[in-house]
Amino acid sequence: MRILVCGGAGYIGSHTCLSLAERGHQVVVADSGVNSSARVVPRLRRLAGMPVPVHRVDLRDRGALSVLFATYRFDAVLHFAALKAVGDSCRRPLEYFDNNISGTIVLLQTMQAAGVRRLVFSSSATVYGEPAQVPVREDAALSVMNPYGRTKLVAEQLIGDLCTADTGFRAANLRYFNPVGAHASGLIGEDPCGEPTNLMPYICQVAVGVREKLRVFGGDYPTVDGTGVRDYIHVVDLARAHVDALEYMVREDRSVTVNLGTGRGVSVLELVHAFERASGRRIPYEIVDRRPGDAASVFADPSLAQELLGWRAEFDVDAMCRDAWRWQAMNPEGYRTSVRRTPVMRVRRPKIVAARVADAY
Ligand code: UFG
């Protein structure tokens, strides 16, 4: 199939492009560049071993998106393009609504106009708010804790309404738990803008000396060691789940909503210690006050994904830490500076009909 990957230059999107390529699908990327680096592109092409056209397009730019859909005939769309920082969303809610919700609406309208009726959507465990029970099943109550979470829940709902109205439209809502790790090559990985808000990239930056120490938010939760428990999932496992979901939609001609996690809860300190073992570096930390809005313990019941998609996570926490560390050690400042230059593969670029969506890279 030929797949449009919106947000395909970002962290999860870039890993999923590789999984798609490995399974023989053609990939076209649309990315606004707002939270991704152009430097991912040559690496992606090299790892994929095939041409990957990358277009700088913001989903809210209806004209540019229409040109893209007129240029290629897509069989499906994978939609990763969203702002994703919880704290930032509380400060700039309208930006989040516009980027994440308006962008999704324009994408759906453009898909409908072009007759493309399969969508895999990056949702999040955030749609469960603070879950009343763990492990969390897909039929748990949904709620909103912050503007970012609202954008994910609203997007799921409007995709659901479209599936009801257009009986031929199929969607997969994939509710990610805590994606971490990097591709085994160390060439692509997570490169947050500014100070990381998530735990694993923060640990990585402490390990490499970019940050002095980790602040552990809360040591008095009712958990194994008092620190918050989450379900960390290797980004390569997560990427594979997108291809499984896509192929499920096509094979079964059905929509689906599933959790993507390992089903195993890991505390902040357990992750810190696993990372120390994997990297051989000490991670200095101090326990500080709880972060407002954080739940004590959130982990998935991933059995529905296994039952329907035949998917289950394969990598454990040690592998997540090993791969996250390899990426950080090879790219101490992310894509901005690297230890060594990545050879750029020559690619045959497709002819683009309009300058507005010309291959930006
Ligand atoms: N934590 C620290 N120190 C840090 C960062 C995080 O102690 O510097 C702790 C948090 O308190 C939490 C755990 O590490 O206990 C994980 O925190 P993250 O910020 O990495 O992840 P969250 O579970 O808070 O958030 C993630 C995604 C969100 C999503 C949310 C709910 O980043 O996008 O899961 O699904 F909304």
Side-chain angles (χ1 to χ4, degrees), residues 110-278:
T110 311
M111 288 174 67
Q112 201 171 40
V116 180
R117 295 162 103 195
R118 295 183 191 118
L119 177 75
V120 178
F121 175 64
S122 290
S123 188
S124 164
T126 193
V127 299
Y128 299 116
E130 187 158 352
Q133 232 177 296
V134 286
V136 188
R137 285 164 44 108
E138 289 79 357
D139 55 7
L142 304 179
S143 74
V144 165
M145 300 272 287
N146 49 62
Y148 161 74
R150 189 179 306 285
T151 67
K152 290 294 171 185
L153 187 54
V154 168
E156 273 200 17
Q157 289 167 338
L158 59 89
I159 290 165
D161 288 345
L162 177 59
C163 289
T164 305
D166 177 351
T167 53
F169 197 96
R170 299 287 174 264
N173 291 311
L174 304 183
R175 294 176 177 166
Y176 311 157
F177 280 67
N178 291 62
V180 296
H183 189 262
S185 64
L187 290 176
I188 59 171
E190 185 171 13
D191 183 13
C193 294
E195 188 173 353
T197 53
N198 292 122
L199 179 60
M200 182 64 105
Y202 209 102
I203 292 175
C204 286
Q205 292 195 3
V206 171
V208 86
V210 175
R211 312 257 162 217
E212 193 190 331
K213 65 178 166 192
L214 173 72
R215 287 178 308 143
V216 176
F217 298 136
D220 57 353
Y221 285 109
T223 59
V224 58
D225 55 18
T227 65
V229 164
R230 295 290 183 274
D231 187 339
Y232 298 95
I233 173 170
H234 198 298
V235 67
V236 170
D237 277 330
L238 190 62
R240 180 168 47 85
H242 290 74
V243 192
D244 291 336
L246 172 68
E247 292 179 356
Y248 169 88
M249 275 195 307
V250 174
R251 185 176 66 244
E252 305 290 332
D253 194 24
R254 293 177 77 104
S255 294
V256 66
T257 296
V258 288
N259 289 338
L260 296 176
T262 62
R264 189 174 161 234
V266 173
S267 76
V268 173
L269 291 183
E270 284 172 334
L271 192 70
V272 167
H273 296 318
F275 193 92
E276 289 181 327
R277 285 194 302 276

Side-chain angles (χ1 to χ4, degrees), residues 57-68:
V57 176
D58 186 308
L59 295 186
R60 293 166 294 182
D61 184 345
R62 193 182 295 276
L65 202 57
S66 303
V67 171
L68 197 60

